[in-house]
């Protein structure tokens, strides 16, 4: 018996502790393996000053830069300490404790945890056999909030536009659309979010923008929706150095670097999928993100294969018994030599 009162919904929560032991080839966390925009690194080095004072409470200069990138107005943008923080703030702001958060499963593994952290009931709804979110079943789940990830982590598939449209039209629930990987896919919903009163599109600078360690995420939606998220976000969530680096990443030089790396990631993604498909017992899913999910079809367990890869200096993220998919490895796309090391190691482990 603990000596203090605890929150009942926290009983099933465990702190997230990813395996971050150093590894020569780390393809485990879907960050930008080409690095960070040089413009952002230069701004971090040269932009010191003002650290004794608080940053802007709501990161207004960054909001403006993000609004320009997204094609929306600054009051239609809210920022946070990574998109984790934005998702967490949104779940707290947009539903009462006890409300139901429906989401396709499998998806971003933190979502059921973020739901519980905020007193919401996680309601997973199996993906359809074709990997698409099941709009019908999500609607039947009587959700107060719906979370959709597109392209989806870990499958890499993009949600069809008609699925998003149907959820917006037929449900009174706010739709939180997580587009962490949208730069690697196509246009996405970012710019059109404010036109839909119940759509919040969440993005991050941790993936295509190469700034995972800097911790900047954001969301776009109608000014009314964003204002509610801002209430639960609270002040000072983006530090002064983070705002400096993020603004530089959104400058013309920063964006040019990001766009070039996205192009490279797309072509390396095709290489990784094609080469992995040649290894017996491996079936890659066709991905629109900066990672590829490899189904293990030869009866091997993902955790065991990932362990053997780690002994060969390669880290990937194993998934056990994914509904409809089975055992699988999620592999981040990166520069060719890293992918070649991975492919060699995987072929050896599965031989
Ligand atoms: N959403 C998805 C789908 C993710 O995969 C991740 C990172 N793994 C995040 C959000 C959170 O990223 P960050 O907090 O770094 O923005």
């Amino acid at each position: 018996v603990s000596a203090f009162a605890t929150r009942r919904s926290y009983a099933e929560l465990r702190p997230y502790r990813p395996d971050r032991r150093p590894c020569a080839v780390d393809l485990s966390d879907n960050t930008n393996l080409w690095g960070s925009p040089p413009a952002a690194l230069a701004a971090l080095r040269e932009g010191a000053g003002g650290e004794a004072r608080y940053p802007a409470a709501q990161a207004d200069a960054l909001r403006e830069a993000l609004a320009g990138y997204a094609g929306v107005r600054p009051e239609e943008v809210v920022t946070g300490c990574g998109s984790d923080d934005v998702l967490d703030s949104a779940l707290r702001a947009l539903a009462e404790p006890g409300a139901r958060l429906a989401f396709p499963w499998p998806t971003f593994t933190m979502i059921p945890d973020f739901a519980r952290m905020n007193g919401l009931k996680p309601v997973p709804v199996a993906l359809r056999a074709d990997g698409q979110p099941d709009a019908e079943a999500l609607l039947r789940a009587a959700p107060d909030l719906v979370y959709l990830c597109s392209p989806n982590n870990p499958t890499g598939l993009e949600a069809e536009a008609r699925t998003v449209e149907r959820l917006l039209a037929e449900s009174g629930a706010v739709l939180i659309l997580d587009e962490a990987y949208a730069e690697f896919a196509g246009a996405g919903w970012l710019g059109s979010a404010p036109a839909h009163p119940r759509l919040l599109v969440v993005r991050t600078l941790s993936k295509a923008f190469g700034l995972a360690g800097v911790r900047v995420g954001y969301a776009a939606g109608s000014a009314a929706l964003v204002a509610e998220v801002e209430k639960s976000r609270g002040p000072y969530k983006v530090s002064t150095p983070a705002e400096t680096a993020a603004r530089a990443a959104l400058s013309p030089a920063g964006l040019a670097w990001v766009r070039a790396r996205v192009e490279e990631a797309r072509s390396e993604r095709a290489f990784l999928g094609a080469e992995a498909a040649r290894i017996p017992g491996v079936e890659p899913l066709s991905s629109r993100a900066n990672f590829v999910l490899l189904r293990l079809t030869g009866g091997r367990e993902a955790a065991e294969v990932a362990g053997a890869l780690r002994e060969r200096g390669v880290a990937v993220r194993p998934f056990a018994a994914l509904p409809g998919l089975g055992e699988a490895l999620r592999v981040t796309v990166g520069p060719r030599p890293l992918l070649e090391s991975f492919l060699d190691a995987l072929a050896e482990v599965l031989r």
Side-chain angles (χ1 to χ4, degrees):
V1 182
S2 67
F4 50 89
T6 57
R7 202 163 157 157
R8 246 174 299 138
S9 57
Y10 279 31
E12 293 163 61
L13 282 175
R14 298 286 171 274
Y16 182 60
R17 291 214 175 83
D19 184 354
R20 290 291 298 274
R21 283 174 296 159
C23 200
V25 177
D26 186 348
L27 311 179
S28 69
D29 65 3
N30 302 342
T31 50
N32 192 325
L33 299 181
W34 284 271
S36 307
L41 297 178
L44 274 177
R45 271 193 307 271
E46 294 153 18
E51 285 80 3
R53 305 300 302 268
Y54 286 104
Q58 303 290 346
D60 285 333
L62 174 59
R63 283 171 86 151
E64 215 155 294
L66 288 166
Y69 173 71
V72 303
R73 295 180 299 150
E75 61 270 32
E76 294 163 341
V77 175
V78 57
T79 59
C81 177
S83 57
D84 280 345
D85 180 39
V86 177
L87 290 166
D88 182 48
S89 300
L91 295 184
R92 194 159 53 243
L94 302 174
E96 295 290 347
R100 295 162 66 79
L101 171 69
F103 48 87
W105 190 255
T107 194
F108 182 32
T109 53
M110 285 304 294
I111 291 305
D113 281 5
F114 286 146
R116 289 191 186 96
M117 284 179 201
N118 290 293
L120 306 186
K121 184 176 165 37
V123 183
V125 172
L127 286 170
R128 291 190 332 213
D130 64 358
Q132 279 292 313
D134 190 336
E136 196 79 43
L138 286 164
L139 290 165
R140 265 203 314 273
D144 299 291
L145 279 176
V146 177
Y147 168 90
L148 213 62
C149 183
S150 178
N152 187 41
N153 177 5
T155 57
L157 303 186
E158 224 175 346
E160 289 170 355
R162 60 178 176 187
T163 304
V164 175
E165 277 155 10
R166 179 147 184 228
L167 290 170
L168 289 172
E170 295 181 31
S171 169
V174 168
L175 174 61
I176 299 174
L177 184 59
D178 184 342
E179 293 193 336
Y181 302 99
E183 277 84 4
F184 303 102
W189 291 77
L190 183 64
S192 53
H196 300 270
R198 290 188 306 277
L199 176 61
L200 188 75
V201 174
V202 181
R203 295 237 184 154
T204 179
L205 300 194
S206 295
K207 311 298 179 181
F209 283 81
L211 293 177
V214 165
R215 311 302 300 131
V216 177
Y218 63 102
S222 74
L225 194 59
V226 157
E228 292 308 304
V229 178
E230 204 150 78
K231 289 180 194 170
S232 76
R233 167 209 196 258
Y236 311 130
K237 285 299 182 73
V238 178
S239 71
T240 304
E243 183 163 9
T244 300
R247 287 174 64 196
L250 292 157
S251 70
L255 287 175
W257 183 91
V258 168
R259 291 195 171 116
R261 298 294 84 69
V262 164
E263 279 314 307
E264 218 170 329
R266 285 178 173 168
S267 72
E268 292 312 304
R269 172 176 78 198
F271 169 79
L272 174 59
E275 291 301 308
R278 293 151 57 98
I279 301 174
V282 177
E283 265 182 36
L285 266 64
S286 163
S287 169
R288 299 275 286 160
N290 69 335
F291 55 83
V292 178
L293 191 73
L294 305 179
R295 297 182 55 219
L296 299 177
T297 55
R300 298 281 291 269
E301 279 186 13
E304 177 258 318
V305 172
L309 288 171
R310 201 170 237 292
E311 281 167 24
R312 289 163 176 78
V314 181
V316 299
R317 175 85 181 260
F319 287 88
L322 286 176
L325 297 167
E327 300 289 308
L329 304 175
R330 194 195 63 197
V331 184
T332 307
V333 168
R336 181 70 56 99
L338 302 184
L339 301 184
E340 282 171 342
S341 299
F342 161 73
L343 289 161
D344 289 347
L346 183 65
E348 197 179 299
V349 167
L350 293 183
R351 191 169 294 140

